[in-house]
Amino acid sequence: MAKKKPVIKMQTYGIHSKWEAKSKALPKVLEFTTNIPAQIDIEFGFIINIKNARGQKAYYCIEHPGIYDADGSVRSAFTGEVHVTNNDWSFYLGDTIWAPIDDKCGPWHMTITLNDQIVADKTFNVSSVKSDSPIKQRFAYL
C-alpha cells in the first residue's frame, strides 16, 4: 500500500498570545496580519497543521532583518529541526521583539521544510511606525 502524502495547512498567522515553551498548548491568534508593530514582547508567527507525516523531521528557518549579537556582529538566521510526533500534528513557529527594537525592524521571513520542500512560508514586516502619525490621523483607514 502506498504511503499517504502529507497534508499541510496553515491554521493561523500574525500576532499571537504569549507562547509558553514548557506548555503543550499553542498560542492563540490575536490578529491575522503580516504587519507587526515593533513593541517589546509582541509575539508573532504562524501555526501549521501536518497530517500523515508521523516520524518525519521538519526544518524551520527564521530569517530576521539583521539582529546583532553581544559582540556587534549580525546573527545568522534562527534554524532548527522538530520531529513530527503524530499523524495530526500542529506546530507554532514564531518569535518576539526584545530590546533594543531598532535591529528588529524589517522583514522576518519564516519557513518550514518537510521532505526538502517548503511547506509553510510567511514574511512579517516589523515596523516602528507610530499609529498616531499625522498620516494615520488624517487617513483613518491606513
Side-chain angles (χ1 to χ4, degrees), residues 9-30:
K9 179 180 177 189
M10 187 171 293
Q11 295 179 313
T12 67
Y13 66 90
I15 300 171
H16 286 76
S17 61
K18 185 173 178 164
W19 179 62
E20 300 293 337
K22 294 179 181 177
S23 172
K24 289 185 179 185
L26 296 176
K28 304 291 182 206
V29 66
L30 302 175

Side-chain angles (χ1 to χ4, degrees), residues 47-104:
I47 295 175
I48 64 164
N49 178 264
I50 302 176
K51 294 185 188 311
N52 306 323
R54 182 179 179 187
Q56 296 183 31
K57 290 181 187 176
Y59 300 89
Y60 63 85
C61 180
I62 301 175
E63 296 175 35
H64 52 76
I67 298 172
Y68 297 103
D69 63 16
D71 298 327
S73 301
V74 175
R75 294 181 185 199
S76 56
F78 306 132
T79 61
E81 70 179 43
V82 290
H83 295 270
V84 179
T85 56
N86 61 57
N87 279 324
D88 190 0
W89 183 75
S90 292
F91 178 71
Y92 173 70
L93 179 62
D95 214 323
T96 188
I97 305 297
W98 64 95
I101 290 177
D102 293 341
D103 65 349
K104 313 305 180 300

